Every structure is written in structure tokens, then in C-alpha cells.
Amino acid sequence: MTAAPSGPAFSVQDIPFSTHGSWFGISPVLAEKTRAEDLHLVSHQNGMHAVVRFVPLDPATGERAETQVAASPSRLSWTGGSGRIDLAYESPDTVRVRGTGLGFGISAAAHTLTPFSGTYFYRDPVDGAHVFTSYETGRRYRITVLSGTVAEVSGAQALGAGDRGLTVTAEPGGTWETVVEELDSARPPYHSAATFDEVTEAARQAFSEFVEAAAPWRSADTPAAELAAYVVWSATVRPAGLVTRPAVLMSKHWMDKVWSWDHCFNALALAPGCPDLAWDQFALPFDHQDTGGALPDSVTHSEVLYNFVKPPIHGWTFGHLRGRLPEPLDPARLSESYAMLARWTDFWLTARRAPGAALPHYQHGNDSGWDNATSFDPGRVIVTADLAAFLVLQMRELADLAAELDRPDDARRWTHTADAIQAAMFDQLWNGERFVARGVDGQDTWTSSSLLDLMPVVLGEHLPDDVSSVLADRIEAHLTPYGLATELPASPHYRSDGYWRGPIWAPATVLIEDGLRRAGHDRLADEISARFRALCETSGFAENFDALTGQGLRDRAYTWTAASYLLLARDHHRRHADAGTVTTVA
């Protein structure tokens, strides 16, 4: 019997309240390192922008009321001594708000309106609704009062600095209700036959269906599965702007993009139960693949960046994706995938190999995904073994695909190139004890205390046993009580909140756990999985974690962390289900 479908409670201080498909959330987090006292409607169209502030009010004084905020996937509530306010999504662009015993202030977050910034506010004479027009998002936010009274309006049609907004109240003992819509330009006056309770129930059911599809295996042994599913579900947006498909953003905080390796982990987590959404996650960056075969660094609503790339883990991802999908991909999609991956691989073999070089290079740490890893301290334009290993896996996947698509010449070519790259990796970067990095323009090599130097373990079964054993031993030295530190804690370069210079990260954990397991190091793989899952169950789904304390760092609602928990938890469940060691939820 699975967990109750009502969904987990969570703190909006860490995780925004939102819904699947919406481009906005309700949160006090307005930007990185910026939190407000009040909850705001925060939109992610044209960037992250706080548009409207929500304030519970004491109906007797009109001042801010002291309340407690509680959230579950279907409802957000402010509760005070004199009353309660509830908010629920009716659709991705519409929220309903209902209150009793408390008033509600809805006002522009921006205090100043200029000809090019801020929020204009007016009453629409067509339907009597009040409208905020945001320069930053390019959208309108329409407030329609369904019951109760508009007690006060300020700043309507005002220019310059000033407060803009309205207050909604009800008679003593009465209930008021309003609706807030995000819209592009105009739409008919708001109308709905659904009651607030029906709206809430529909929202509850929508999440319940998603979590049942995404994590039907969840049990008492995987207590964070429902919250992980909520983080992924609520960070999903509908297609808009440059986002060509339904997309799981990395977060509905400030990390509100799809980066071209983060998406892979979301795709894998969604594959068994939500295959169409999983495919959209895998394919979205490829929709923006450039003429040279490169993937963008990132995609968001109104921006696609190409100044960096991300590591070519997509062949590794595609192989695992196929293994997790409930139905095989049809020939057309296999052919499409082959073309995408081939162009991406050719980019690395042409644009990222110097004349006469056997191995490709990174131009900056950002290209590796490990932006400031100490591997890049001696130089930025460097040849590394992790890049070679990812490409070898990608070319072996291409060889298998080519054979399946009856392209034997291509299959032989990819196999030959993969063998050559792997041989060159060992010849040029393995010193008999460990992998080294080197600059493109010289023969100097170096090592570091970064976990990045050990990433060739992703080759798994393709590694010689003695090499995989050395890598496993060195990886174990990075294992703290909470997981894999990205820089050895004893290193002079270790930083507790140093991004890739110490903290634990989900993608490194998943890639290394998989490589170790495929290389036969099950004990260490099991330990890495168990510690990371326990970390998420204790500290949530932060962007990364302090390796020595387990504290969540940076963005606290990161989808690739949640997805990685779902991946590892599902695999753990599957390994132990037959042994009868999985505890179900009563």
C-alpha cells in the first residue's frame, strides 16, 4: 500500500508553492540571497521577477497580521489567531484565494514605475477587474474579486513612485474570495463554475496522479520520494518563448533554466512512469543544437546561451533512458536520436580537438559542468580524462544505435573511434597510478584533489580491473558521512560552500555510483547511494550540500537533486524488493 496521496508538507522558505505547467510560483525568495517578509507571486517569464506581494491583514486595523504559513502540493495557507487564508492553483496561470477572519493585501512588488521598468496598475472598465502590468515579465496579472469587498485601492493609474494595489475583506464572520491570473494580453472576464474546495481537490488529484506514475515503488524505505516528486512536478513549465516543450526547470528559484546536462537526470527519473515528459526533457536542448552540432549551455523562457557547453553525458543518458522507458523507442525516434547524438559527438571531435590532437579539450571549467573545480586551477583550456570517458561511452552508444538502424559502416566507424579515444586517454592521461590533466598547448600535466579526476570510472565495464580498483579506492577517500565531497576535505583548496571545491552534488553521485556498479564495485556503490539518499531525506533537495555537515546549500529546491534521489531510491527498491527487505507504508 502506497503513501497517502494528499502529498507532503513543505516549507515555502525552501521550496516554492507552484503547480505543473505554471511559469510562476508563490515564494518569499525573490532572488539569490534575497528573501522577503511576505510571500510574492514570482514569475519566470523573461527571467525571475517578483511581481505581486501578498499580505494577510488584520481586518480591524488593516495592518499586517501575524500568521503561520503551511504548504502542501495542493494548498498554501496563512493561519492566524483570527482567521485563515488559503490559496490553490486552478490552472497553471490561475490561482484562487479564499479567506475568513483576515483581510488580504495584493500589491505591486516594485515601488517605482518608470517608462521601462516596474508595474503599472489600473482598474479595467470592461469587467471591473484590477490589473497589474509588469514591464519585467511582459505579462498582466488580473485580480477578480469573486466575493467579499474591495476595501481599499491605491495607486491606480499612478506613475512614478508609490504603492499600488488593493485590499480584499469580508463582513465579520464572512468569507471573501479572489482569483489571480497571469495572462499575455487579454481574455474574457473570469468565470468558473468550480468551488474553491473543488479547485483544491483537483489540484490534489493532479499531484497524486503524478506521484503515482513517477514513484509507484515508494515506501517507508524511501520517505522523501513524494517530496522529490513534488519538486520535479512543481518546477515543470508549459512550452512558452524559447522553451519548445514541457520543461522541468532546475528550480523555480533563481536557477530557473534548463542546463544541457542537468536535464539528463530529470529525464531518467521520469522515464519509467512519465515517458513522454521524460523524452521532452532529453530532447529539449537538442531543439537548439547549432549548425556545428553544439548544444547550448542553457535554455530558458527568453534566452538561449551558447558561450559555454556542457559535458557530453548524453550517450550515457540515452542508453539508460532506453532501459528505463516502459516501451521501446520506435525506429523514427531511434533515427532522430542517432542524428542528434552524432552531431553532438562530431562537435567534440572537430571543434574541440586541436590539429593533430587525439583527445578533445574543454575551454573552461564551465564546459565540464564543474565550473570551478581545482582540476582547472593550472589552466582552463585543458585535456581531461572525464571528457574522453564521456565521449567513449557516447560513441559506443552510437555504434550500438547504428547497428540497430542497419548502418554497419557507421557502427564500425564509431567503434573504431571509441577504441582510439580510449587508447589515447590511457596513453596520454594515465600515469600508472592515476589520471592527469594537461594543457592543450603544452606537455605539462598535473593532478588535483578534485573528484573530477576520478570521473573516468563512468566507463564501468570498459575499464581494466586494476584501473577501476584504483579509481574506486580514490573515490572512497572522498566519501564523507553524507556523500562524495567534490574536493578532498584534507585539501588546502577545500571550501565548505565552495561550489565544486568541496560540496556534495547529485550528478557526480549518480554518475560515479553507476560507473562503480557497472565495474563490479557494488559495496562502494551501495554505500554512496545510501548516504546520498539519507542526505536528501534529512536535508532536502538543495543544489549542493556541505560535505562535512550535510547542510543544504544555495538553491534549496533543485530538480536534478530531487531526480537523482528518485533514481537512486527506485534502483535501491528494485534491488531489494525480491529479497523482501522493502517496508511498505501502511
Side-chain angles (χ1 to χ4, degrees):
M1 182 176 181
T2 57
S6 57
F10 58 90
S11 170
V12 292
Q13 296 294 324
D14 293 330
I15 301 171
F17 179 74
S18 192
T19 196
H20 188 91
S22 180
W23 278 93
F24 68 83
I26 312 301
S27 174
V29 178
L30 310 187
E32 185 176 7
K33 300 180 181 179
T34 303
R35 291 176 182 266
E37 180 179 6
D38 299 308
L39 298 185
H40 286 63
L41 185 155
V42 181
S43 178
H44 297 274
Q45 300 200 59
N46 291 322
M48 180 185 185
H49 303 289
V51 181
V52 175
R53 179 172 61 249
F54 296 137
V55 184
L57 301 173
D58 184 318
T61 65
E63 300 297 319
R64 176 185 285 103
E66 291 298 321
T67 59
Q68 298 295 318
V69 176
S72 69
S74 60
R75 183 178 296 194
L76 173 69
S77 300
W78 294 259
T79 304
S82 59
R84 176 187 178 100
I85 299 169
D86 294 308
L87 182 151
Y89 276 86
E90 184 171 23
S91 71
D93 63 16
T94 302
V95 293
R96 295 267 287 268
V97 193
R98 182 181 67 182
T100 302
L102 291 169
F104 199 51
I106 306 172
S107 59
H111 184 72
T112 300
L113 175 66
T114 78
F116 305 105
S117 65
T119 303
Y120 176 60
F121 178 58
Y122 65 97
R123 179 181 179 277
D124 190 339
V126 173
D127 59 5
H130 292 81
V131 180
F132 297 91
T133 296
S134 167
Y135 275 99
E136 283 71 22
T137 70
R139 269 75 193 166
R140 300 165 188 258
Y141 301 83
R142 184 169 70 181
I143 316 300
T144 303
V145 176
L146 305 180
S147 63
T149 303
V150 176
E152 183 180 353
V153 176
S154 61
Q157 302 185 49
L159 305 178
D163 295 328
R164 296 168 174 83
L166 68 154
T167 299
V168 184
T169 62
E171 295 296 325
T175 298
W176 57 261
E177 186 172 348
T178 189
V179 60
V180 182
E181 303 167 89
E182 182 178 57
L183 51 113
D184 290 342
S185 57
R187 66 173 57 159
Y190 175 83
H191 174 76
S192 175
T195 67
F196 185 88
D197 288 338
E198 288 170 341
V199 166
T200 304
E201 173 57 22
R204 185 202 65 79
Q205 184 63 31
F207 174 70
S208 177
E209 291 172 358
F210 177 84
V211 74
E212 194 60 38
W217 39 262
R218 66 199 187 280
S219 71
D221 292 330
T222 56
E226 287 203 9
L227 186 57
Y230 174 76
V231 170
V232 174
W233 179 79
S234 64
T236 304
V237 295
R238 65 189 185 277
L242 296 169
V243 174
T244 50
R245 303 164 183 264
V248 180
L249 303 179
M250 289 312 102
S251 175
K252 279 184 181 168
H253 287 324
W254 60 90
M255 302 295 281
D256 55 354
K257 297 184 178 183
V258 176
W259 276 270
S260 291
W261 71 312
D262 309 44
H263 70 111
C264 292
F265 302 92
N266 288 327
L268 292 176
L270 290 166
C274 307
D276 291 339
L277 185 59
W279 176 256
D280 284 333
Q281 302 325 296
F282 180 73
L284 192 151
F286 288 96
D287 291 346
H288 297 279
Q289 194 169 22
D290 74 9
T291 56
L295 296 182
D297 183 45
S298 62
V299 179
T300 191
H301 175 269
S302 51
E303 176 185 83
V304 179
L305 298 180
Y306 290 92
N307 54 324
F308 295 108
V309 292
K310 284 294 173 275
I313 68 167
H314 302 82
W316 171 87
T317 302
F318 186 74
H320 282 287
L321 186 69
R322 293 186 70 184
R324 290 172 179 271
L325 290 170
E327 300 291 337
L329 295 174
D330 61 39
R333 186 146 285 177
L334 289 177
S335 182
E336 176 189 3
S337 303
Y338 177 80
M340 297 188 309
L341 289 171
R343 292 178 60 216
W344 179 218
T345 306
D346 284 337
F347 162 80
W348 287 99
L349 297 177
T350 55
R352 290 301 181 89
R353 279 204 293 191
L359 295 173
H361 58 267
Y362 290 129
Q363 293 177 344
H364 187 279
N366 289 2
D367 286 342
S368 74
W370 294 52
D371 308 357
N372 66 336
T374 53
S375 301
F376 294 91
D377 282 358
R380 304 287 183 264
V381 184
I382 65 174
V383 176
T384 64
D386 68 293
L387 174 55
F390 290 139
L391 277 176
V392 167
L393 289 179
Q394 190 151 292
M395 288 185 285
R396 297 203 186 284
E397 188 66 32
L398 281 166
D400 291 344
L401 261 177
E404 192 171 347
L405 294 168
D406 196 24
R407 302 179 186 183
D409 291 343
D410 283 4
R412 284 189 290 271
R413 176 171 61 86
W414 289 121
T415 298
H416 173 77
T417 308
D419 290 343
I421 294 287
Q422 185 163 331
M425 179 185 76
F426 278 101
D427 181 56
Q428 299 180 22
L429 301 179
W430 177 253
N431 69 6
E433 297 180 353
R434 60 187 302 168
F435 285 106
V436 300
R438 65 172 176 82
V440 172
D441 297 326
Q443 296 304 312
D444 291 344
T445 64
W446 59 84
T447 62
S448 77
S449 297
S450 175
L451 188 63
L452 183 62
D453 289 7
L454 307 177
M455 286 304 293
V457 78
V458 298
L459 285 169
E461 69 276 18
H462 303 294
L463 285 171
D465 290 344
D466 59 334
V467 174
S468 75
S469 293
V470 169
L471 292 176
D473 288 344
R474 290 188 177 276
I475 287 166
E476 192 157 15
H478 284 258
L479 190 58
T480 76
Y482 304 98
L484 290 172
T486 46
E487 179 80 9
L488 278 175
S491 163
H493 304 294
Y494 177 87
R495 298 291 182 270
S496 59
D497 187 9
Y499 231 50
W500 294 93
R501 301 171 85 95
I504 296 164
W505 285 80
T509 300
V510 170
L511 286 161
I512 287 175
E513 190 268 356
D514 174 70
L516 287 168
R517 200 173 295 284
R518 288 187 292 108
H521 299 284
D522 289 339
R523 178 200 61 81
L524 181 54
D526 286 345
E527 192 63 33
I528 289 168
S529 172
R531 294 190 192 188
F532 185 79
R533 287 182 283 112
L535 176 65
C536 293
E537 288 159 7
T538 301
S539 300
F541 304 106
E543 184 180 354
N544 53 71
F545 303 87
D546 187 312
L548 301 183
T549 68
Q551 177 187 359
L553 302 172
R554 308 292 177 116
D555 195 313
R556 301 301 179 87
Y558 217 71
T559 58
W560 75 355
T561 308
S564 294
Y565 176 85
L566 292 172
L567 283 169
L568 295 174
R570 175 182 180 268
D571 289 349
H572 169 75
H573 173 88
R574 289 168 62 87
R575 282 192 299 272
H576 292 273
D578 292 341
T581 58
V582 174
T583 305
T584 58
V585 176

